[in-house]
Amino acid sequence: MKYIEQKRKIDLMLSLIGMVILAPLFIGIMIAIKLESKGPVLFKQKRVGLRRSHFNILKFRTMRTDAPKDTPTHLLDDSEQYITKVGKFLRKTSLDELPQIINILKGDMAVIGPRPALWNQYDLIEEREKYGANDVLPGLTGWAQINGRDELPIEIKAKFDGEYVNDMSLKLDFLCLIKTIVSVAKSDGIIEGNTIKVFEEVASAKENEK
């Protein structure tokens, strides 16, 4: 309980510093998005927050306005047709996630925690319930993200989220933050398109190697 109170203070400090330092980058990205395509600069999407409450997560818009709103990008059959050129760069560098600093300031999210599920990702929400992972603030990044991101099956992802909840500490948060920076720099674990197809292709490749 004591660390959770400290964690909130740290989150506020880091998000305020981030807003000031990254202000020029925010402006540049907003201009780039507007120059390429029509529509809002920010994308809002209903996500699951603390104790299964709902909130609107903020991202820089990376897709056309006619893209499906409540379907994870990695579950789309052909996500490339919806992603803009600027959006592709933002996703590769994870810069599309920067507006979530606002969510952190508002108290919807933390810097480190389980990534907030879509409101209709019932399987992930229920799996997290087994580990108490719905009872902490979702994060900008987390233990599951540095251990596979989009590559992880739901059961494994929820298990990692549970491990984070059980071992939550300043040391673990610092480790997650550092490893996230490294993962983003290397674009590790990012899968666009249909995840099921990706797993099938990987399994098929391994089978052919035998």
Side-chain angles (χ1 to χ4, degrees):
M1 181 63 71
K2 186 177 181 181
Y3 176 64
I4 291 179
E5 294 174 359
Q6 294 176 341
K7 181 179 172 70
R8 179 59 188 156
K9 293 178 182 178
I10 295 171
D11 287 339
L12 279 172
M13 180 185 67
L14 290 177
S15 54
L16 283 170
I17 293 173
M19 283 292 290
V20 173
I21 294 176
L22 298 173
L25 182 59
F26 265 72
I27 295 172
I29 292 173
M30 291 167 69
I31 292 173
I33 292 172
K34 272 296 184 183
L35 288 176
E36 183 183 4
S37 61
K38 294 180 179 180
V41 170
L42 294 179
F43 172 70
K44 296 180 181 180
Q45 191 177 57
K46 188 161 72 171
R47 296 286 182 117
V48 178
L50 181 65
R51 289 185 282 275
R52 302 176 75 156
S53 60
H54 291 159
F55 72 98
N56 287 321
I57 197 171
L58 300 175
K59 293 187 177 188
F60 282 123
R61 182 173 59 83
T62 60
M63 305 180 83
R64 303 197 320 251
T65 54
D66 61 338
K69 293 184 179 180
D70 290 324
T71 302
T73 307
H74 61 274
L75 292 181
L76 295 174
D77 288 328
D78 185 12
S79 61
E80 291 292 332
Q81 66 174 311
Y82 298 110
I83 301 174
T84 63
K85 291 180 180 178
V86 171
K88 191 169 184 178
F89 171 76
L90 294 178
R91 283 168 174 266
K92 185 176 181 180
T93 56
S94 293
L95 289 173
D96 60 316
E97 309 285 356
L98 285 182
Q100 286 159 49
I101 292 175
I102 299 172
N103 287 120
I104 296 171
L105 285 170
K106 290 172 61 180
D108 296 327
M109 294 175 61
V111 175
I112 308 297
R115 280 297 294 166
L118 277 165
W119 66 272
N120 58 358
Q121 284 183 292
Y122 305 115
D123 48 357
L124 176 58
I125 297 167
E126 291 303 321
E127 196 67 24
R128 282 176 169 173
E129 193 69 22
K130 300 176 183 178
Y131 301 100
N134 293 319
D135 296 327
V136 297
L137 280 174
L140 180 62
T141 185
W143 186 237
Q145 276 56 52
I146 65 173
N147 283 286
R149 300 179 75 174
D150 293 339
E151 294 175 348
L152 296 176
I154 285 173
E155 294 80 5
I156 304 301
K157 186 181 295 185
K159 187 175 180 180
F160 275 125
D161 290 333
E163 288 178 2
Y164 172 77
V165 173
N166 289 331
D167 301 329
M168 191 162 45
S169 65
L170 178 60
K171 181 179 179 180
L172 182 57
D173 279 2
F174 182 73
L175 177 64
C176 287
L177 186 60
I178 296 300
K179 287 200 171 186
T180 294
I181 294 172
V182 174
S183 293
V184 168
K186 296 166 66 177
S187 297
D188 285 344
I190 299 175
I191 298 176
E192 302 289 8
N194 193 309
T195 301
I196 296 175
K197 288 183 179 179
V198 172
F199 284 127
E200 287 177 346
E201 289 171 2
V202 171
S204 177
K206 288 183 178 180
E207 188 66 29
N208 291 333
E209 289 176 358
K210 293 179 180 181

